[in-house]
């Protein structure tokens, strides 16, 4: 019959006192590239300069971000579906134009002429 202290002995035998060095990039590589840099940008005190990703945005881009940020989830999903439909339609149009170009032989590479000197 098992002793009443047998469970505690078993649990204590499972404990590990090994110290893992989490600073090593080899042992703990970054799971998602760029996440550490992004997280570090929030730890820094607020500066007057905009973040790197925002420096290249034009005023129209910022207005679009504000507009998309104000949409409800349902409206945002509808916007995404609209963009998917637009991308599909553009793909169909491109396919038609490529087929047209093929039939008109405008996509064919010019043949090299062999000239003998």
């Amino acid at each position: 019959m098992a002793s009443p202290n047998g469970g505690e002995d078993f649990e204590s035998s499972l404990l590990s006192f090994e110290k893992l060095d989490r600073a090593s990039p080899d042992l703990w590589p970054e799971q998602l590239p760029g996440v550490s840099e992004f997280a570090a940008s929030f730890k820094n005190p607020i500066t007057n300069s905009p973040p790197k990703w925002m420096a290249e945005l034009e005023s129209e881009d910022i207005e679009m971000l504000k507009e998309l940020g104000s949409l409800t989830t349902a409206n945002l999903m509808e916007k995404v579906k609209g963009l998917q439909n637009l991308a599909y339609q553009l793909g169909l149009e491109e396919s038609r134009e490529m087929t047209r170009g093929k039939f008109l032989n405008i996509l064919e590479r010019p043949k090299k002429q062999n000239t003998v000197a």
Side-chain angles (χ1 to χ4, degrees):
M1 184 167 218
S3 67
N5 293 337
E8 291 176 18
D9 292 337
F10 177 70
E11 286 181 20
S12 64
S13 71
L14 294 176
L15 291 176
S16 172
F17 298 103
E18 181 180 0
K19 300 291 183 201
L20 298 176
D21 179 19
R22 292 189 178 265
S24 171
D26 294 330
L27 291 175
W28 305 96
E30 189 174 15
Q31 294 293 325
L32 298 172
V35 171
S36 297
E37 182 181 318
F38 179 75
S41 69
F42 285 104
K43 292 179 184 175
N44 295 338
I46 298 175
T47 59
N48 291 337
S49 63
K52 285 187 234 176
W53 62 268
M54 205 169 173
E56 297 177 6
L57 295 180
E58 297 176 3
S59 60
E60 293 174 4
D61 300 327
I62 294 171
E63 289 301 317
M64 175 69 78
L65 285 173
K66 288 178 182 176
E67 177 188 331
L68 293 173
S70 67
L71 294 176
T72 64
T73 304
N75 290 343
L76 189 58
M77 290 302 295
E78 191 165 323
K79 187 85 164 173
V80 169
K81 286 180 185 176
L83 290 173
Q84 288 175 330
N85 288 338
L86 179 61
Y88 179 76
Q89 292 298 325
L90 285 173
L92 289 177
E93 186 178 334
E94 181 182 13
S95 176
R96 283 192 296 268
E97 292 299 322
M98 291 298 287
T99 303
R100 183 174 173 218
K102 182 179 175 184
F103 287 135
L104 294 174
N105 290 326
I106 60 173
L107 300 175
E108 197 172 289
R109 292 183 181 173
K111 295 179 181 173
K112 294 183 180 179
Q113 295 178 352
N114 293 335
T115 56
V116 179

